Amino acid sequence: MFGKSATFAVALAMLAASGCASFPGRDPALDDARLSLDAARRNPQVAMYASAEFDQAAATLRQADDLAAKGGQYNDVHQLAVLANQRAATAQDVARLRSEQAALVAQRTAADARMQADVTQRQAAAAQLQAAEAQRQADQAQRLAAAAPTAYDYRRRENEPLYEAPVTLVRAVVGPPQQRCWVERQVVDTGAPGINVPGAVVGGVVGGILGHQIGSGRGQDLATGIGAASGAVVGANVGRDAAGTVYTQDVQRCANVSTAAVDYWDVTYNFRGYEHHVQTTSPPGRTILVNGQGEPRV
């Protein structure tokens, strides 16, 4: 009887040990891992920037599910489920970090592109200014070239037949007027009445002579002084009301004077019914030598 009881106890112990080693029920860690993996799957950043990390989390969750389906030990399944959950969260974190880094790179790239565009725009504006200046210079050179007189070679050609064309009009062209300046003496009258200094001197002398002839001794000297003073007063007032202060000074005068020198002669002549013009440095005669096209020859 005792042997049968011992055998039953051993059998119960073995069953208990076997029950602890096998999976007793559904582990909540598997559900958490599936939720984390689904959240990572719905995140577009994970698919773009952390696909490798997501694949590791999914593979770990499959291992946990396979081990649980095969009746693996609870602890092993639980560890795999927790690892799958952690890897799914890591995929989310890596995706967010890489997305932020990509945004910074994109911002720097956009800023560099804007700077390059600004530089290109400034270079284009400078090029347009340079092109406009070059065009202006070209237009000015073209206008100067069009305005410049055409230089002809009036020398005779060998064996070229020449003809006499009658001159119909000759006009001497002189240079522009030139300014000429000179200095001349000018009398200046202020028009204000003043003291007649020469009259005062003369009057004083004459009065003194007349006074000296009166009396003798100290009386004669006194008469001389009175006569000189009176004569000076009379002479100073002579013509005082009629004349002002008059003096002379140097004054510069300028005027435009036409030069008589001739710059050139503008000659008009007729050849075979057509009127021609030529400029010469000396006056022509009644005719001028030309070739068959009416070009002057010397």
Side-chain angles (χ1 to χ4, degrees), residues 46 54 62 64 76 85 97 102 104 109 125 128-129 134-135 137 168 187 202 205 209 238 251 263 265:
V46 173
F54 177 81
R62 284 195 298 270
D76 294 339
N85 191 0
L97 178 62
L104 291 176
T109 303
Q128 289 180 354
L129 291 176
Q135 183 63 39
Q137 293 178 358
T168 58
V187 178
V202 174
V205 173
I209 294 173
V238 173
V251 179
D263 284 353
W265 278 264

Side-chain angles (χ1 to χ4, degrees), residues 109-181:
T109 303
D112 294 340
R114 286 194 297 270
M115 292 179 59
Q116 185 63 33
D118 293 340
V119 172
T120 303
Q121 186 175 3
R122 288 194 296 269
Q123 291 177 349
Q128 289 180 354
L129 291 176
Q130 293 177 355
E133 178 62 20
Q135 183 63 39
R136 187 189 66 80
Q137 293 178 358
D139 294 340
Q140 183 178 5
Q142 186 176 4
R143 288 194 300 270
L144 292 176
T150 304
Y152 292 103
D153 186 4
Y154 294 148
R155 292 175 297 179
R156 296 182 182 182
R157 274 60 167 177
E158 186 178 0
N159 299 326
E160 183 181 33
L162 300 179
Y163 307 90
E164 289 188 356
V167 175
T168 58
L169 179 64
V170 177
R171 183 173 63 90
V173 180
V174 299
Q178 297 181 356
Q179 189 180 54
R180 302 288 179 84
C181 296

Side-chain angles (χ1 to χ4, degrees), residues 4 29 36 42-43 65 84 86 97 113 124 201 227 236 255 273-274 279 288:
K4 291 183 178 179
S36 297
R42 291 192 300 269
N43 189 350
D65 289 335
Q86 293 176 351
L97 178 62
V201 174
Y274 292 95
Q279 295 177 355
I288 187 171

Side-chain angles (χ1 to χ4, degrees), residues 207-229:
I209 294 173
L210 294 177
H212 185 70
Q213 296 177 0
I214 299 174
S216 60
R218 294 183 57 83
Q220 188 181 41
D221 294 338
L222 182 59
T224 300
I226 295 173

Side-chain angles (χ1 to χ4, degrees), residues 5-22:
S5 298
T7 302
F8 181 74
V10 171
L12 288 177
M14 292 178 62
L15 288 174
S18 176
C20 292
S22 63

